[in-house]
Amino acid sequence: MKFALTPLAAATMLVLVAVTPIAHAADDVWVLRFGAHVVAPKSDNGQLAGMRSSIDNDTKPTASIEYLFTPNLGAEVLVALPFQHDISLNGTRLASTKQLPPVIGVNYHFMPENTVSPFLGVGINFTHFYDSKGQGALSGSHITIDNSWGGALHAGLDVKINENWMFTADVRWINIESDVHLNGVKIGKAKVDPLAYGLSLAYRF
């Protein structure tokens, strides 16, 4: 497993360290969100074994919890059920994999008192790949995909229903790049770098 601390991830860690001392100065406010997101890998996913690779989309339920240090600034953890993706080489489906992509980050809410409040965020992602399998011509082959660390960007809108309930629409860009091995031999790097977009129902308490 590789640990690549990108400038984006390093900046996120510094922000987390900087805001921690003010947590005790604010009233406790939490936001719990439940929804669903589509993970849509970018269109060009690199070369594997000299062939063009492509990775399909998947949609799964997601949940997040955010602690608001101030009305504007919060720290958030995103989790999800495992996403499953088919992998094609030169247009032929030859493998599948599952992945868990939790994200930890900070969000800045621009107009928290308004009915509609946009926000921007930055964070760190860890993606765990597992249960990778060959299909078709690669059926029975041993395929592994390395875990990935990378930065993440976040943008969205909160729409208040009342003082406790709201809807959230958001999108994340996540940096995911992992070495792929076939029968123990590295055959290339999968450049996933997906957009994850979706809707959630949120409860503030």
Side-chain angles (χ1 to χ4, degrees):
M1 181 180 69
K2 295 182 178 179
F3 181 93
L5 187 62
T6 66
L8 186 61
T12 303
M13 293 180 68
L14 290 175
V15 171
L16 286 170
V17 171
V19 300
T20 298
I22 68 174
H24 302 291
D27 293 334
D28 285 346
V29 177
W30 298 83
V31 179
L32 184 63
R33 295 179 175 90
F34 290 99
H37 282 73
V38 178
V39 170
K42 69 175 187 174
S43 57
D44 181 7
N45 302 127
Q47 297 280 322
L48 297 176
M51 294 180 281
R52 181 178 59 85
S53 65
S54 60
I55 303 171
D56 72 351
N57 301 351
D58 192 26
T59 304
K60 286 294 188 294
T62 57
S64 70
I65 187 164
E66 182 177 14
Y67 177 78
L68 293 169
F69 299 108
T70 74
N72 299 95
L73 186 64
E76 181 187 37
V77 177
L78 171 72
V79 296
L81 292 180
F83 292 90
Q84 181 168 333
H85 305 277
D86 288 329
I87 302 170
S88 298
L89 300 179
N90 285 349
T92 301
R93 188 175 66 183
L94 292 176
S96 66
T97 191
K98 295 179 181 179
Q99 53 100 352
L100 286 168
V103 178
I104 299 174
V106 291
N107 296 319
Y108 187 84
H109 301 266
F110 290 92
M111 297 179 290
E113 302 304 320
N114 290 11
T115 299
V116 178
S117 176
F119 60 84
L120 292 175
V122 62
I124 302 170
N125 163 254
F126 171 74
T127 299
H128 171 58
F129 291 94
Y130 70 101
D131 199 20
S132 301
K133 298 177 180 177
Q135 299 177 355
L138 295 182
S139 181
S141 299
H142 180 60
I143 297 174
T144 58
I145 303 175
D146 290 351
N147 296 333
S148 169
W149 287 88
L153 299 175
H154 192 199
L157 290 171
D158 288 326
V159 181
K160 284 185 181 178
I161 302 171
N162 55 41
E163 288 302 310
N164 295 106
W165 292 94
M166 60 187 172
F167 287 110
T168 300
D170 69 331
V171 60
R172 299 173 193 263
W173 174 83
I174 303 173
N175 175 228
I176 303 174
E177 296 188 6
S178 300
D179 290 338
V180 180
H181 303 267
L182 175 62
N183 295 327
V185 178
K186 179 181 172 181
I187 60 171
K189 183 182 291 289
K191 299 178 180 180
V192 187
D193 294 345
L195 291 177
Y197 54 89
L199 295 172
S200 302
L201 179 64
Y203 182 73
R204 178 186 174 100
F205 60 99

